[in-house]
Amino acid sequence: MAKTRVQVSRRCGCVDAETGRQRGVTCPRLPVDDDHGSWYFAVQERSLDGQRQRIRQGGYADPEEAQAAGRALAAADHDGAGAGCTLGQWLAR
């Protein structure tokens, strides 16, 4: 079984006044304000049809919590629970 890499980052929902788009990981407040934004994890898994897909979930209070959630999702997917597949794929399986 290959080890799945869990990427952890912090992002926020601030909107850029000029573009109207969310700043996400590029918000200038993230490096200076520890209470700004929340932590996310991203993992790449193979779906049931063999294609790679990125799964990203967030809202975690600290990076350790996000890392643990990412590892739990990857472990469930490798154990055959299909955590990384869509509902339609899971039902078809």
Side-chain angles (χ1 to χ4, degrees), residues 10-92:
R10 193 165 49 140
R11 15 180 348 108
C12 74
C14 291
V15 177
D16 187 305
E18 292 179 16
T19 64
R21 299 180 71 190
Q22 281 191 353
R23 290 184 172 171
V25 296
T26 63
C27 180
R29 287 182 55 195
L30 288 175
V32 295
D33 185 359
D34 290 339
D35 294 328
H36 188 68
S38 60
W39 290 92
Y40 284 72
F41 74 82
V43 295
Q44 289 228 1
E45 294 290 336
R46 292 216 181 262
S47 62
L48 294 178
D49 62 359
Q51 298 294 317
R52 276 198 240 174
Q53 63 182 12
R54 180 178 64 164
I55 301 167
R56 184 172 67 191
Q57 294 179 357
Y60 298 98
D62 56 53
E64 292 81 16
E65 187 180 351
Q67 180 83 314
R71 286 184 180 158
L73 181 114
D77 199 45
H78 285 299
D79 290 342
C85 67
T86 65
L87 178 61
Q89 291 170 330
W90 183 78
L91 289 172

